[in-house]
Amino acid sequence: MHGVAMDSQPLVSVVIATYNMGQYLPEAVNSVLGQNWDNLEVIVIDDGSKDDTQSRMAVFNRDNRVRYFQTENQGQPRAKNRGLKEARGDFIAFCDADDIWHPNKLTIQLPHFTDSTVGVVYSEVSYIDEHGETVDKPQPYDRHSGKVTNHLIIKNFIPFGTAVIRRACLEKNGYFDENLPMGIDWDLWLRYSVDWKFQYAPEKTYIYRIWSGQMSKNYRGRYDNAFLILNKFIDCYPEVLPKRMVARAWADMYVSRGMAIASAERTFKEPLRDVLNGLKADSLYWPAWRSLAKLMLGRV
């Protein structure tokens, strides 16, 4: 396995899976085509859109860097996997159809792959609203580089659209899990983290759009999936994590779900049960004690 000589500009395949995002999709595609990195292709997988996506994509018909595929509606994991299977590049990146890349994204991130043990390079994000106006949003997570499994098992700190991956990650550790409706990126990163280093580039290379038409704010569904993903990873890779990290991961999962429910639904009993389960998993996990105090004092 060799590092990458960046003066040669290896091909980067950019996968955009889209569903009814005609109003934003051309801007996403143009932001990728506007890179100061010439050797790239854009693979748009239209997952059964019912809007004007097809007619809006017509402007790219003569650009041989853009490949547009229409499929039946099969859901996000299958659409993304179709894009990955069409990709020809040694490196693969992602852009959500309602988001935008900075023009220097690839020139910032690709040089980090000169280390042949790095499988994923990700970066920082900025935010806009549905009208393209800047939104100030605090960054809730610490970012990590190197062997990140111990950090990743607690929080998915990688903004999905910022990630660029080595093709070898797909070949060695697989594609998105099509049985998961949500959380597919966390599942993928956990698997990749077993064999690859991750590298964080602190520059903001990706603009994330916050707007009303995004995937549902279904926090209960999100946590149901997160429990599944955590279980699956621990079952498949029992030797990777020290026991204390497994305990901490379960503690954080219960506490996070409990506090999300308490905050959204203003209930007490179910969140209390979750927080106590968290403390049962790891009695030394101080955020669980802090959450318990907040619950008891009614300060959620």
Side-chain angles (χ1 to χ4, degrees):
M1 194 165 37
H2 302 290
V4 179
M6 284 304 143
D7 52 353
S8 64
Q9 279 215 359
L11 177 65
V12 180
S13 300
V14 184
V15 174
I16 302 178
T18 186
Y19 176 68
N20 290 344
M21 289 284 174
Q23 60 176 324
Y24 294 128
L25 179 62
E27 191 178 2
V29 174
N30 277 319
S31 77
V32 175
L33 295 176
Q35 289 294 296
N36 47 24
W37 183 280
D38 299 323
N39 196 14
L40 56 78
E41 62 172 3
V42 185
I43 299 157
V44 177
I45 307 296
D46 180 356
D47 188 33
S49 293
K50 305 281 193 287
D51 66 354
D52 59 352
T53 293
Q54 185 179 5
S55 60
R56 286 184 183 245
M57 282 300 294
V59 297
F60 302 107
N61 284 351
R62 292 188 178 167
D63 193 324
N64 59 15
R65 294 172 297 171
V66 179
R67 294 156 67 208
Y68 174 55
F69 299 90
Q70 290 176 285
T71 65
E72 289 175 16
N73 181 248
Q74 301 178 83
Q76 190 192 168
R78 282 192 176 86
K80 283 189 165 76
N81 278 347
R82 170 71 191 273
L84 291 174
K85 282 162 189 162
E86 294 290 346
R88 301 164 179 156
D90 289 327
F91 296 92
I92 297 159
F94 303 94
C95 185
D96 283 341
D98 49 350
D99 295 341
I100 304 166
W101 276 18
H102 282 281
N104 57 353
K105 177 176 167 60
L106 293 177
T107 50
I108 286 171
Q109 290 183 245
L110 265 292
H112 289 288
F113 286 105
T114 49
D115 177 349
S116 64
T117 64
V118 169
V120 179
V121 176
Y122 70 103
S123 72
E124 204 44 78
V125 282
S126 52
Y127 301 90
I128 54 173
D129 65 16
E130 54 202 290
H131 309 297
E133 300 295 322
T134 301
V135 175
D136 282 330
K137 193 170 180 285
Q139 180 38 253
Y141 301 140
D142 292 333
R143 310 295 194 197
H144 303 276
S145 292
K147 297 296 280 181
V148 298
T149 312
N150 282 6
H151 299 293
L152 198 52
I153 200 75
I154 305 292
K155 293 281 183 226
N156 181 11
F157 52 81
I158 296 161
F160 170 70
T162 73
V164 182
I165 67 172
R166 212 182 267 279
R167 171 179 285 285
C169 293
L170 282 179
E171 290 161 358
K172 185 168 188 179
N173 306 89
Y175 290 69
F176 290 106
D177 183 342
E178 294 182 358
N179 296 313
L180 292 169
M182 299 164 90
I184 57 172
D185 55 328
W186 187 41
D187 172 75
L188 194 76
W189 305 145
L190 282 169
R191 283 185 276 129
Y192 287 7
S193 76
V194 175
D195 291 308
W196 301 93
K197 286 182 192 162
F198 282 52
Q199 182 62 48
Y200 170 57
E203 296 90 343
K204 290 177 176 173
T205 73
Y206 192 86
I207 304 168
Y208 181 90
R209 192 187 305 268
I210 300 168
W211 65 292
S212 55
Q214 281 165 313
M215 270 181 79
S216 89
K217 310 286 185 282
N218 175 7
Y219 56 92
R220 281 187 177 269
R222 218 169 41 240
Y223 277 106
D224 287 348
N225 268 284
F227 273 81
L228 281 174
I229 291 163
L230 183 55
N231 246 328
K232 174 188 160 190
F233 184 74
I234 291 165
D235 283 351
C236 291
Y237 300 95
E239 306 305 317
V240 168
L241 290 163
K243 282 196 168 54
R244 66 182 173 77
M245 287 312 304
V246 173
R248 181 129 306 180
W250 281 118
D252 183 80
M253 184 72 79
Y254 277 113
V255 171
S256 299
R257 181 175 70 178
M259 298 313 277
I261 291 169
S263 168
E265 299 176 22
R266 299 287 169 215
T267 54
F268 176 76
K269 207 166 167 183
E270 191 182 355
L272 178 64
R273 189 165 63 237
D274 265 349
V275 171
L276 291 175
N277 276 331
L279 283 166
K280 203 156 110 185
D282 183 355
S283 61
L284 300 176
Y285 190 46
W286 68 265
W289 290 107
R290 191 181 58 193
S291 297
L292 181 62
K294 276 186 179 173
L295 271 180
M296 302 310 280
L297 296 169
R299 288 185 183 161
V300 178

